[in-house]
């Protein structure tokens, strides 16, 4: 199957700083990618749809100024958590569809201290 | 709002026991249905999917699921589980056939299989 790589796998940052997470489709092109957030013991919640060459589409309740998404190429989408706070600590997962299946990255564990 | 509900949050079974994990969704239109598995420290992997046709779908590793439209359900089954099936299982629904990666997930079920 297709491979989606996410980097970094985990990151610890200080409160107030920004963190960038990358999502790459390694062997296919993706005009659309998706970013999810998962809290402990809870489901994956869709945050936004990343669109290559245009603005991301955010789900209701997701702050677009805090979670900046850039989809600069057909194989790369980035999620930047700006001015991170401890409540932003979570597991972030990206996915990219190929045909009728979505392929997921391994996720990024963000801890804000 | 559309939602996906998984009834079992934590299931503990012995090896060779049969498994059934419940999944219900709330949406009256056409849906695409998925079951994903996440082994510890690994990516989400697709177990099986239903788009149309035979409502009984077979997936990898001996898993199968049955789509019952009248019950808005898509339950996952396996006749005989193995210790290696210990993982987190997620049911997911795609409402937008033109945007197949956009999924609504259930809350997940942790399956623990005792050897």
């Amino acid at each position: 199957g297709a491979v989606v790589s996410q980097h970094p796998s985990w990151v610890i940052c200080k409160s107030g700083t920004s963190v960038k997470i990358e999502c790459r489709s390694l062997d296919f092109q993706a005009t659309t990618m998706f970013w999810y957030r998962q809290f402990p013991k809870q489901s994956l919640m869709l945050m936004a749809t990343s669109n290559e060459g245009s603005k991301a589409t955010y789900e209701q309740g997701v702050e677009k100024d805090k979670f900046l998404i850039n989809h600069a190429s057909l194989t790369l989408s980035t999620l930047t958590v700006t001015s991170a706070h401890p409540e932003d600590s979570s597991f972030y997962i990206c996915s990219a569809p190929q045909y009728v299946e979505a392929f997921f990255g391994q996720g990024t564990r963000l801890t804000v201290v | 709002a559309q939602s996906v509900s998984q009834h079992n949050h934590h299931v503990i079974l012995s090896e060779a026991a049969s498994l059934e994990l419940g999944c219900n969704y709330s949406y009256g239109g056409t849906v695409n249905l998925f079951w994903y598995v996440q082994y510890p420290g690994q990516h989400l992997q697709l177990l099986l999917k239903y788009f149309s046709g035979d409502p009984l779908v077979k997936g990898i590793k001996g898993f199968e699921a049955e789509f019952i439209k009248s019950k808005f359900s898509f339950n996952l089954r396996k006749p005989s589980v193995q210790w290696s099936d210990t993982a987190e299982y997620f049911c997911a629904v795609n409402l937008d056939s033109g945007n197949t990666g956009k999924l609504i997930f259930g809350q997940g079920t942790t399956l623990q299989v005792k050897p």
Side-chain angles (χ1 to χ4, degrees):
Chain A
V3 178
V4 174
S5 177
Q6 205 172 323
H7 178 81
S9 297
W10 59 270
V11 57
I12 301 173
C13 72
K14 291 185 177 181
S15 188
T17 62
S18 296
V19 173
K20 180 184 284 188
I21 303 169
E22 293 186 346
C23 179
R24 293 181 185 273
S25 56
L26 296 187
D27 49 2
F28 67 103
Q29 293 181 335
T31 56
T32 304
M33 292 185 178
F34 300 90
W35 287 95
Y36 296 84
R37 183 174 180 177
Q38 185 181 26
F39 290 102
K41 307 289 186 185
Q42 295 188 31
S43 182
L44 284 77
M45 300 296 295
L46 180 65
M47 298 175 64
T49 303
S50 174
N51 303 299
E52 188 267 336
S54 64
K55 291 182 179 180
T57 307
Y58 291 82
E59 296 300 303
Q60 191 173 9
V62 177
E63 299 176 61
K64 61 181 180 181
D65 295 329
K66 168 168 266 306
F67 299 101
L68 299 179
I69 291 173
N70 186 287
H71 196 146
S73 76
L74 288 171
T75 58
L76 174 64
S77 174
T78 60
L79 168 68
T80 301
V81 183
T82 63
S83 187
H85 288 102
E87 57 265 31
D88 298 324
S89 297
S90 191
F91 194 58
Y92 294 87
I93 305 175
C94 70
S95 77
Q98 187 187 42
Y99 304 118
V100 296
E101 185 173 339
F103 294 89
F104 288 83
Q106 71 272 39
T108 297
R109 173 75 60 194
L110 170 64
T111 303
V112 185
V113 298
Chain B
Q2 296 82 18
S3 66
V4 178
S5 176
Q6 292 180 238
H7 317 301
N8 320 97
H9 296 290
H10 196 167
V11 174
I12 302 174
L13 295 172
S14 298
E15 276 195 315
S18 63
L19 170 73
E20 181 160 2
L21 301 182
C23 174
N24 285 87
Y25 63 93
S26 61
Y27 182 68
T30 301
V31 295
N32 300 320
L33 299 156
F34 306 81
W35 274 97
Y36 284 89
V37 61
Q38 187 172 33
Y39 298 104
Q42 296 189 27
H43 298 220
L44 278 165
Q45 299 175 36
L46 181 66
L47 272 179
L48 46 78
K49 60 183 182 286
Y50 173 80
F51 277 60
S52 63
D54 188 345
L56 183 63
V57 292
K58 295 191 183 298
I60 61 171
K61 306 186 180 187
F63 286 91
E64 64 178 33
E66 185 175 13
F67 170 52
I68 302 179
K69 189 175 181 179
S70 61
K71 296 185 178 180
F72 300 91
S73 70
F74 190 56
N75 292 354
L76 180 72
R77 300 193 291 249
K78 186 170 184 178
S80 176
V81 295
Q82 300 173 315
W83 176 79
S84 57
D85 293 324
T86 295
E88 189 84 15
Y89 292 81
F90 293 93
C91 179
V93 171
N94 167 244
L95 306 179
D96 183 354
S97 59
N99 219 347
T100 54
K102 190 173 182 180
L103 301 173
I104 301 172
F105 283 87
Q107 60 270 58
T109 297
T110 301
L111 172 64
Q112 183 181 352
V113 179
K114 293 184 175 180

